Amino acid sequence: MTGLHIVGKRSAKGCIWYVYAWRGGPCIHKAFGERPVVDLALIMKAEKARSPTKGALATLDDVLDRYRQSPEFSKLAESTKRDYRLWLDRISEKFGQAPIAAFEDQRMRTEIIDWRNTWADQPRTADKASVTMATVLGWAQGEGILPVNIATGIRQLHHVNKADQIWEDRHWEAMRGSKDKNGRSLYSDHLDRALRLASLTGLRLGDLVRVAWEDVGEKAIILTTRKRKGRAIIPILPDLRGLLDSIGTGAGPILRNSRGEPWTESGLGSVFQKAKPDGFDRTMHDLRGTYATWLAMRGQTDEEIARTIGWTAKRISEIRSRYVDEARVIVSMVERLSA
């Protein structure tokens, strides 16, 4: 066994083959067309990658390989690594053979922007291209490989409303009524449980699929969050207890898909995207704001909610004024006018 990991990807130029020294390791060879044959030359490259030297770095590919082996890359979450590897390969395909010195010249910034703009019709994807390039060049600058990071500060194409939003009754009704072109419901019980659990815990998607029955106590769900590595203490209020009781008990992850297997982050995210009706203007992440609002309407203070959900009290205050206080004003006004 050579330990080499070979991956083929389709591109406008045909099939591109990437040969990695090992699964998750640096890319040591690229080829178009036929799948590369593992020969002595490839094995020697893999051996060199397994025992890297501190020799001079000549091309951007050398920098990319060094970055893949860096502590900064190693400490990333696995889902983040998968995303980065895709973009590191794309950077390698476009700029890999360019000499490192080229990335000290501001004119190369224009080349990077032009490359980014090949995804102009997909703004979020385009921004991922420039952000990943800036990350790699920023790491190289920090390591003393480059004197500057010419990709820093490239303006993003995708603009979003940063204000926190919540799911209102109309959003739940829209999801529950979502159907495919044949009139079949796209909203399954398994998806419903996941969305309701998210709205009653405020957990991010990565933690939502991980939360297990072993984390459930008598008064609270307690787990270590993946993103911040902090301890989340989620009070089990009656609505949450009712949901947990309706799901049942067991061992391991609470949420399961239609096959009875634990949801993966990508699996649950994909099912949600497919179930969304046309024009649906909320995300799963917005259920964190929904949870914050739910706690506020049950009398918890901004500071208490902030500690539970991991946001600042100021951010909780803003979402309270937008959804909770505003709703109370409207109810009060209707009651006065109806008297």
Side-chain angles (χ1 to χ4, degrees):
M1 297 292 290
T2 64
L4 296 176
H5 182 53
I6 303 176
V7 178
K9 298 180 181 178
R10 294 191 178 279
S11 74
K13 301 178 181 179
C15 189
I16 307 174
W17 294 94
Y18 297 90
V19 182
Y20 298 89
W22 62 89
R23 184 181 293 273
C27 180
I28 59 172
H29 180 70
K30 296 193 300 288
F32 288 94
E34 298 296 325
R35 179 187 174 93
V37 175
V38 176
D39 56 16
L40 182 59
L42 281 182
I43 293 173
M44 293 297 290
K45 284 185 178 181
E47 287 300 318
K48 183 179 180 181
R50 293 188 182 103
S51 304
T53 66
K54 294 292 183 178
L57 303 176
T59 66
L60 186 63
D61 267 343
D62 294 331
V63 175
L64 295 173
D65 289 346
R66 184 73 63 85
Y67 175 66
R68 290 186 183 96
Q69 299 172 71
S70 70
E72 289 82 359
F73 185 80
S74 297
K75 70 182 181 183
L76 297 174
E78 284 304 317
S79 58
T80 305
K81 286 180 183 177
R82 286 195 298 271
D83 192 36
Y84 269 45
R85 287 184 185 116
L86 169 65
W87 283 102
L88 293 176
D89 287 345
R90 287 176 174 173
I91 291 172
S92 174
E93 179 184 340
K94 177 65 178 180
F95 299 103
Q97 295 305 306
I100 293 175
F103 295 90
E104 300 177 21
D105 190 327
Q106 283 293 325
R107 288 174 294 184
M108 181 60 83
R109 181 183 174 94
T110 302
E111 296 293 326
I112 294 171
I113 293 173
D114 288 345
W115 171 68
R116 184 275 310 267
N117 289 345
T118 59
W119 292 280
D121 60 336
Q122 304 172 63
R124 295 183 68 176
T125 300
D127 290 340
K128 184 71 74 172
S130 55
V131 167
T132 308
M133 178 65 89
T135 298
V136 171
L137 298 185
W139 172 84
Q141 182 185 20
E143 293 289 299
I145 298 169
L146 285 170
V148 294
N149 177 0
I150 61 170
T152 189
I154 292 177
R155 289 190 299 273
Q156 295 197 346
L157 300 182
H158 179 64
H159 299 286
V160 296
N161 178 9
K162 295 296 185 180
D164 292 308
Q165 302 183 97
I166 72 169
W167 284 43
E168 301 173 71
D169 288 345
R170 63 187 176 89
H171 297 105
W172 289 103
E173 291 169 4
M175 285 297 299
R176 288 168 180 150
S178 179
K179 300 182 184 299
D180 66 15
K181 62 182 180 181
N182 296 315
R184 292 174 297 208
S185 175
L186 293 171
Y187 192 75
S188 67
D189 291 340
H190 305 88
L191 178 59
D192 179 66
R193 292 189 198 105
L195 296 181
R196 288 168 60 202
L197 187 63
S199 71
L200 294 173
T201 61
L203 290 172
R204 295 181 179 86
L205 179 57
D207 293 320
L208 188 68
V209 297
R210 290 174 49 248
V211 64
W213 290 109
E214 290 79 3
D215 301 320
V216 179
E218 182 180 352
K219 301 291 185 182
I221 294 175
I222 303 175
L223 76 158
T224 300
T225 61
R226 191 184 67 179
K227 184 173 182 179
R228 304 191 186 280
K229 306 301 181 184
R231 192 168 69 148
I233 303 177
I234 302 161
I236 300 180
L237 300 177
D239 289 12
L240 176 54
R241 175 57 71 188
L243 174 61
L244 293 172
D245 289 345
S246 71
I247 295 174
T249 58
I254 294 173
L255 294 176
R256 305 275 169 162
N257 60 26
S258 59
R259 298 184 300 278
E261 300 171 352
W263 282 108
T264 63
E265 186 174 349
S266 61
L268 179 53
S270 176
V271 168
F272 170 71
Q273 292 297 327
K274 291 176 182 177
K276 284 197 315 182
D278 292 341
F280 193 77
D281 61 351
R282 292 296 186 266
T283 68
M284 286 193 68
H285 188 76
D286 291 329
L287 289 170
R288 283 172 59 77
T290 306
Y291 177 62
T293 305
W294 183 75
L295 291 178
M297 295 183 73
R298 280 154 181 77
Q300 289 209 12
T301 67
D302 293 346
E303 289 73 18
E304 289 171 336
I305 299 170
R307 283 197 297 270
T308 300
I309 204 170
W311 286 354
T312 64
K314 180 177 182 295
R315 188 172 176 183
I316 300 299
S317 176
E318 290 171 351
I319 200 169
R320 180 194 292 273
S321 66
R322 186 179 310 118
Y323 292 107
V324 181
D325 296 341
E326 182 181 90
R328 286 173 176 163
V329 168
I330 292 172
V331 169
S332 176
M333 181 178 67
V334 170
E335 289 175 346
R336 290 199 315 273
L337 294 175
S338 301

